[in-house]
Amino acid sequence: MVVVGSGWHFLSGISYYTCRLSNALQERYDVGTILMRRLLPARLYPGRDRVGQPLSDLRYADDVRVFDGIDWWAVPSVRRATRFLREQQPDVLVLQWWTGAVLHSYLALALAARRLGIRVVVEFHEVQDTAELRHRWAARYVRAAIRPLLRRTSGVVVHSAYDRDALACAYDLAGVPAEIALHGPFDHHVVDTPRTPGPDGVCRLLYFGTIRPYKGLEDLIEAFGTLGPEYHLTVVGETWEGWTRPAELIASSPARDRITFVNRYVPDTEVNEYFAAADAVVLPYRRSSASGPLHIAMSHGLPVVVTSVGGLVEAAGPYPGTVFVPPAEPGELAAGIKSAAGLTGRRHADPSSWERTLDAYQRLFTRIGIDQESVTSSNQTAPLLSPDLR
């Protein structure tokens, strides 16, 4: 198979996911990867100042063949990607969907795949990016142009039942097989990381991730202002979409002296340091399909205060360190933080698994008529059992 997703040049959570998924699939299948190298003109990207910087330490497995990559202006990179696809001769092309910026390239790849007899699968991380939805022309473009892509799609993968239902409401996918593949663990940051002890009697809270309108950071700043001196908050994230309201609230907060604000996209070398120095992670999203920071927190075994929105309920529900709170309710958020303080001091087991993700893909491949033996990796040393026999 060939997986298509975000590359390292425009680094985001989908860059990490594409790599982790490709490496996981390689355990069972022969895998190639096509990276979306330059997503759009750099001046239009929220993280324009860091484009192209080597911030990630994650690497593709040696047996995963990588084409890097496709640029937004398409020519000649799409033609070269098509040649890579023809050389790999996969049974299935797996497209990671998260932004309309890749739509024209994905449509070109899907058309080429169908001409070559390759089935197309789309894995949806969300129906459409929230920033694109705010722009009427972008929302209309995606809704119109994605339909030819979906007509050439043999199956879809989503991260939750919530996303499956949202996708069904947005597009007519009647008759297209869909499988739920819960997000796998983001444990690549956890390499024998020792806990960093903090001051006695202090609960260290961490918010981690981009700062965007839907992330609800302003709710956390308001809630934190009502907490006592036994709490400290660290906010680590890059501002997107010009959303400076949280920064303004931090500057004027009565608890400003207990807030550390790191307003940038931190490299992998620093990620462990922030999670190792946290007692609990707070993710006050107002909406969300999935969350990379949630899975990093669970991989570290930390208590997580998270809002009960979208796909987060299914992702964090089985995790014993989860405290759910309603969205956009600073008072409830403060109460949830106090509850999470009682869960600190011990490591909670992360229930997520890439094996579970692979099982979902295997079920989908069976449903769309792909011969499992034809895509099984040469690295597979034991016979694969069907999902219902595991």
Side-chain angles (χ1 to χ4, degrees), residues 20 31 36-37 46 54 78 99 106 123 127 146 153 165 167 215 245 288 329 345 371 386:
R20 289 302 307 269
V31 177
M36 305 305 297
R37 181 171 50 199
V78 167
T99 173
Y106 277 13
E123 178 169 355
V127 175
I146 199 173
T153 298
D165 295 342
L167 187 62
K215 293 293 188 80
R245 179 63 175 159
S288 184
E329 294 285 349
D371 180 4
S386 59

Side-chain angles (χ1 to χ4, degrees), residues 11-276:
L11 184 64
S12 70
I14 306 299
S15 306
Y16 291 95
Y17 186 90
T18 302
C19 184
R20 289 302 307 269
L21 175 67
S22 298
N23 288 349
L25 287 168
Q26 187 270 336
E27 295 296 325
R28 295 190 189 179
Y29 306 106
D30 289 322
V31 177
T33 302
I34 295 174
L35 299 182
M36 305 305 297
R37 181 171 50 199
R38 291 179 173 84
L39 298 177
L40 70 169
R43 67 180 183 277
L44 301 179
Y45 188 64
R48 64 184 68 86
D49 294 336
R50 60 173 171 83
V51 167
Q53 295 182 14
L55 300 175
S56 174
D57 296 330
L58 192 61
R59 295 292 179 267
Y60 282 84
D62 291 340
D63 290 334
V64 176
R65 298 167 296 280
V66 179
F67 173 79
D68 188 10
I70 295 180
D71 304 314
W72 64 268
W73 58 87
V75 178
S77 57
V78 167
R79 184 170 65 250
R80 291 171 178 165
T82 302
R83 185 184 310 132
F84 176 84
L85 196 63
R86 188 181 301 112
E87 292 169 353
Q88 299 303 309
Q89 297 183 338
D91 295 272
V92 60
L93 179 71
V94 180
L95 303 173
Q96 302 297 304
W97 173 260
W98 80 105
T99 173
V102 301
L103 182 50
H104 62 294
S105 300
Y106 277 13
L107 185 56
L109 288 175
L111 289 169
R114 293 304 292 265
R115 286 197 299 269
L116 295 169
I118 302 167
R119 292 178 177 84
V120 176
V121 167
V122 180
E123 178 169 355
F124 282 86
H125 293 271
E126 55 188 338
V127 175
Q128 189 170 357
D129 180 78
T130 55
E132 293 172 355
L133 282 171
R134 292 170 55 200
H135 297 282
R136 186 178 304 174
W137 62 268
R140 288 179 174 176
Y141 162 70
V142 171
R143 290 299 176 98
I146 199 173
R147 296 184 189 280
L149 174 63
L150 295 179
R151 284 198 296 269
R152 292 162 175 81
T153 298
S154 299
V156 299
V157 174
V158 293
H159 291 311
S160 65
Y162 170 86
D163 287 335
R164 180 192 59 198
D165 295 342
L167 187 62
C169 288
Y171 305 111
D172 181 14
L173 291 174
V176 178
E179 284 289 339
I180 297 173
L182 296 178
H183 197 298
F186 267 13
D187 52 2
H188 47 275
H189 294 295
V190 186
V191 183
D192 300 326
T193 305
R195 301 287 303 143
T196 303
D200 291 339
V202 175
C203 181
R204 300 165 296 171
L205 308 174
L206 173 65
Y207 170 92
F208 189 90
T210 52
I211 298 170
R212 307 177 67 179
Y214 78 89
K215 293 293 188 80
L217 178 55
E218 59 274 23
D219 299 327
L220 173 55
I221 304 306
E222 182 179 342
F224 185 75
T226 69
L227 299 176
E230 66 273 22
Y231 292 92
H232 183 278
L233 172 63
T234 298
V235 175
V236 181
E238 180 181 59
T239 298
W240 281 31
E241 302 173 58
W243 188 239
T244 59
R245 179 63 175 159
E248 295 164 358
L249 290 174
I250 289 174
S252 61
S253 172
R256 179 65 185 90
D257 61 333
R258 293 185 284 116
I259 302 176
T260 300
F261 188 25
V262 184
N263 192 201
R264 58 186 173 85
Y265 198 105
V266 299
D268 285 358
T269 52
E270 296 181 37
V271 173
N272 268 349
E273 297 176 9
Y274 288 111
F275 281 87

